Amino acid sequence: AAWGVGAPEACKPGELLALAEPGTVDPNSPGASSDAARGSRAVSNVFEPGSTAKVVTMAAALETGLATPANQYTVPYAFTTANNQTFHDSHPHPDLKLTLAGILARSSNAGTVMAGQNLPQQVRYDYLSKFGFGTATGLGLPGESNGILHPVDQWDGRMKYSVLFGQGVSVNAIQATQVYATVANGGVRVQPHIIKDYVDANGIVTKPEFAEPTWVV
């Protein structure tokens, strides 16, 4: 990989305990580093989340009553939708007998499309949005990208399925982290932050204001 980001988070308060990436900036002498003006790739660079988004699809299927963890599927290596779009798993395999939980455990693209194909397109969009895709995290770092979440009327015949397993959308690293932080926090999404409080010269502590938590699932 050309670069990576480490962003451990305390899920309930939304505190990023560290934010590490290649390139070092001395905060006491930021002008001395060629990386000083770059900002943080954790918020500025976006990528397709891929399998991270399968958690969103599973949450939507469970929350809407479309499926339960024990629903059973026969999952082929390649699955073709009603509009002749074919989706493959990462490696060839014979047909697999999987539950919904098994599809997630194996990270099956074909199985995820099978399980999520009956979710209305607007519902697919709504859950991606509720998990934070397409919206800035509010972390406060310069140069943050909102990522890319196209409205439903811009989804073509393939994208309406590919979003189920994290293609056709883009997120920054913190948005991807927030998917799992939300699930770990009992389905409540909180605003991530790197500043816990400010202390002035007189010792007075000021806490930043954060957005209200959102109950996602």
Side-chain angles (χ1 to χ4, degrees), residues 132-174:
F133 288 21
T135 305
T137 64
L139 196 61
L141 294 176
E144 178 170 1
S145 171
N146 290 352
I148 301 172
L149 177 59
H150 294 295
V152 171
D153 60 9
Q154 294 181 20
W155 293 1
D156 61 23
R158 189 165 184 81
M159 187 182 294
K160 67 181 182 180
Y161 294 107
S162 67
V163 297
L164 294 170
F165 58 90
Q167 294 182 7
V169 297
S170 292
V171 297
N172 63 44
I174 304 303

Side-chain angles (χ1 to χ4, degrees), residues 76-99:
Y77 161 61
F79 176 72
T80 301
T81 62
N83 67 341
N84 293 318
Q85 298 294 319
T86 299
F87 299 94
H88 299 83
D89 282 344
S90 59
H91 300 90
H93 60 73
D95 288 357
L96 300 174
K97 302 288 188 180
L98 297 175
T99 61

